Amino acid sequence: MNRRHFSFGVVATSLIALSACGASPVTGSAASAADSASGEMSDHFAENGLGNAVAVIQHPAGEHLNGITYLSYQGPKEDPYVVSYNHEEREWSGPFKAGVSIMGKDPNRRKKIDNHGKPTMIIDNAGYIHVFFGGHGGLRELHGDNPRGNHHYGENKHVVSKRPLDITEWEELDTIPPFGTYNQVVKMDNGDMYLFYRHGAHRSDWVYHKSTDNGRTFGEPVSFLKHKRRTDMPAEDSWYPYVTKGMGDEIIVNFDYHLCWDNAGAPDARGHTANRQDIFYMVFDTGKNTWRNIQGELLPMPLTREVAEEKTLVARSGELWSFNGPVTLDNKGYPHIGITMGPDLGVSKTGGPKEMRHYRWTGSEWVGGKAGVLPIANGAIRADDPTDVRFVLASNDDGEGIVSWWDSKDGGQTFTKTRELLRRSSPSFAISSFIRNAHPDAQIMVAERLRGDDRRNMYLLGENGIVTRRKSETVQTQS
Ligand code: ZN
């Protein structure tokens, strides 16, 4: 399947040379006096992030294995970049360019940065690092008919490290169709990998592919959320799921609904909008190859809107517009969902500001959704038990961007901001999902949105705040 063999240029050779010359390892907030004396430290690890360099939905964006955290993000020209951090040595490596996107190269394109093809990363059981990136529906003239939906831009790609746990060289594998976007990848306990994505632009099915050979080949796409023409209005059914590992052989999915108006048929002058609504949840039993709802009833696949509303509804959003967020399980196996909701202001195509809301399953019903307990924010969710819930959220506080932990001890009735990890005068941060098998010190990546500049400073954050890097290394990442 290795039809196209490429290796990509090394960006950070000088950094490797630095380490090889025996430069003192650099570190995070726990830097020793000797480290600090040997060079000025930077709070961010790279300066070549681009646009929305990370997001919650393209996940995992990184993985921790054997004391090293591997991270991927969108860099110059929308290409995927990879760095690694050795926790014991307190040493960074990279960034290295892992592949070439067909997006981000056309100066005449109206939307300068597409942002949909940012990388998703996972390490297979043989230690090879896989990155999926670059897609937003594909192009008819380049890729032909999309059998499961419509086109927009980009080309979904799969690259793998040439050697196990080595981020310096990459090759492209011909394993997946070009039409995908919003890649999400799950590895099961037996090593099977499931790649989920939307098979095209808005009017496309969501599909998964299964790999049983460490990602060297993937099976045919299987649709699990169906896009469909509505008969009652000039629009189509469309979806935004978040997919992650559940208990045992299970994969859990929460999703919201996109009412995809025809431009000409939309009810007001805005035409097509980002109108999204309602919250749903279902479970994929990969052992039995069946899907069920929270009550255990089997679901016919691919799921249609009619069945989703009847069998999988968590909550209606009413007049509010939603933007789907992450899902996790507590120690009883009950799901907790973070989803943002805000008003349709009637003028904006994307709606008004959306605050984070928390929903959870009690074993017999869905509860939560309370307004005013969490800020306008995006981020990641963790639940230690049904009442003990934590978010790490990127929000804005009085014009400044902040990233903070928010904890609840009462199952989401109230939340307290317990620790601020980062505050900058920049307006906001783009935030990732939790890094897979995260080291406590390195759980989340954020990209600092700089005023008047598409370039982003990239940060790695954990329980102890920021993982820093020697400034002389960080500055070089810009070139
Ligand atoms: Zn749409």
Side-chain angles (χ1 to χ4, degrees):
M1 296 298 282
N2 307 2
R3 183 164 59 81
R4 290 167 286 182
H5 286 272
F6 294 117
S7 42
F8 297 105
V10 169
V11 165
T13 41
S14 53
L15 301 186
I16 293 301
L18 248 183
S19 339
C21 291
S24 306
V26 292
T27 184
S29 48
S32 70
D35 288 335
S36 309
S38 68
E40 199 182 340
M41 300 304 290
S42 163
D43 52 11
H44 47 274
F45 66 82
E47 300 187 352
N48 69 336
L50 179 78
N52 297 333
V54 291
V56 171
I57 191 168
Q58 281 96 350
H59 74 105
E63 178 160 349
H64 168 250
L65 183 67
N66 300 332
I68 298 178
T69 294
Y70 303 85
L71 304 170
S72 66
Y73 59 93
Q74 173 174 283
K77 298 184 177 178
E78 298 191 51
D79 293 331
Y81 282 75
V82 177
V83 296
S84 66
Y85 177 72
N86 183 316
H87 289 265
E88 195 183 325
E89 305 283 328
R90 298 172 173 178
E91 192 171 339
W92 287 90
S93 175
F96 297 91
K97 184 154 78 173
V100 178
S101 174
I102 75 164
M103 300 196 286
K105 316 288 189 281
D106 180 359
N108 298 319
R109 196 171 169 82
R110 191 169 54 86
K111 191 177 178 193
K112 201 163 58 160
I113 308 176
D114 183 277
N115 277 320
H116 285 70
K118 62 179 73 67
T120 301
M121 170 193 281
I122 201 152
I123 302 175
D124 70 33
N125 275 8
Y128 290 86
I129 306 166
H130 299 256
V131 175
F132 304 90
F133 69 97
H136 191 185
L139 294 155
R140 182 180 294 282
E141 56 272 29
L142 199 60
H143 304 116
D145 278 348
N146 176 358
R148 291 168 197 256
N150 61 342
H151 301 77
H152 185 70
Y153 195 33
E155 177 177 308
N156 210 26
K157 291 187 178 186
H158 174 198
V159 295
V160 64
S161 63
K162 283 197 170 179
R163 290 169 295 278
L165 304 178
D166 179 345
I167 64 170
T168 59
E169 288 189 282
W170 299 81
E171 64 184 333
E172 193 168 319
L173 301 182
D174 182 20
T175 55
I176 55 172
F179 304 107
T181 190
Y182 299 121
N183 295 305
Q184 306 176 44
V185 63
V186 181
K187 191 174 79 172
M188 309 310 290
D189 298 335
N190 65 2
D192 288 354
M193 287 160 57
Y194 288 83
L195 176 68
F196 293 81
Y197 59 79
R198 193 179 65 198
H199 200 284
H202 285 195
R203 298 177 171 197
S204 307
D205 285 359
W206 276 81
V207 306
Y208 69 86
H209 299 252
K210 179 182 182 180
S211 173
T212 58
D213 59 359
N214 289 329
R216 293 294 152 168
T217 61
F218 280 89
E220 289 298 306
V222 180
S223 293
F224 68 98
L225 280 171
K226 188 161 180 53
H227 80 98
K228 191 158 61 69
R229 191 73 195 161
R230 289 190 70 132
T231 53
D232 54 344
M233 56 179 80
E236 289 210 11
D237 298 330
S238 178
W239 305 98
Y240 286 90
Y242 182 99
V243 180
T244 192
K245 177 116 172 22
M247 310 273 276
D249 289 339
E250 292 186 337
I251 290 173
I252 58 175
V253 186
N254 71 314
F255 48 109
D256 66 355
Y257 172 77
H258 168 46
L259 177 55
C260 190
W261 288 108
D262 295 354
N263 260 320
D268 62 40
R270 286 179 295 178
H272 176 272
T273 64
N275 179 345
R276 289 161 60 172
Q277 52 193 277
D278 303 335
I279 314 164
F280 306 86
Y281 177 83
M282 62 182 172
V283 179
F284 178 23
D285 183 333
T286 64
K288 295 186 185 136
N289 198 23
T290 56
W291 292 73
R292 65 170 175 85
N293 65 7
I294 191 83
Q295 289 88 359
E297 289 176 84
L298 290 181
L299 300 170
M301 285 287 131
L303 202 71
T304 60
R305 177 175 54 84
E306 290 80 0
V307 178
E309 289 180 344
E310 189 192 335
K311 303 277 192 185
T312 67
L313 194 65
V314 173
R316 295 285 193 186
S317 49
E319 295 296 304
L320 301 178
W321 285 13
S322 61
F323 191 90
N324 189 34
V327 61
T328 190
L329 297 180
D330 63 31
N331 61 353
K332 289 197 159 52
Y334 300 154
H336 293 244
I337 293 170
I339 184 166
T340 65
M341 292 186 188
D344 166 16
L345 299 177
V347 286
S348 159
K349 278 178 173 272
T350 53
K354 295 175 180 63
E355 70 172 28
M356 182 60 77
R357 304 213 184 178
H358 167 256
Y359 289 86
R360 69 183 174 96
W361 176 252
T362 64
S364 57
E365 62 176 340
W366 291 102
V367 297
K370 206 171 156 188
V373 296
L374 287 163
I376 293 164
N378 288 306
I381 187 172
R382 165 169 309 161
D384 292 331
D385 66 48
T387 55
D388 201 351
V389 190
R390 301 181 81 195
F391 279 92
V392 57
L393 296 176
S395 57
N396 185 289
D397 182 32
D398 209 15
E400 297 188 317
I402 60 171
V403 182
S404 335
W405 287 102
W406 291 77
D407 291 11
S408 176
K409 300 290 182 195
D410 57 11
Q413 286 293 305
T414 59
F415 280 88
T416 308
K417 189 173 104 175
T418 52
R419 180 158 186 191
E420 193 170 291
L421 298 172
L422 189 58
R423 174 181 288 262
R424 290 292 175 269
S425 59
S426 33
S428 66
F429 293 96
I431 189 167
S432 72
S433 280
F434 281 121
I435 288 156
R436 188 171 190 271
N437 298 327
H439 186 287
D441 293 344
Q443 302 189 42
I444 284 279
M445 222 182 334
V446 297
E448 181 184 6
R449 295 193 177 102
L450 303 166
R451 285 192 172 84
D453 195 347
D454 294 328
R455 189 183 66 73
R456 301 289 182 259
N457 292 332
M458 303 300 302
Y459 297 79
L460 177 60
L461 307 172
E463 297 291 347
N464 297 314
I466 305 166
V467 181
T468 58
R469 183 173 195 181
R470 178 176 292 163
K471 197 166 186 173
S472 58
E473 294 182 356
T474 306
V475 168
Q476 290 179 55
T477 65
Q478 253 203 63
S479 54

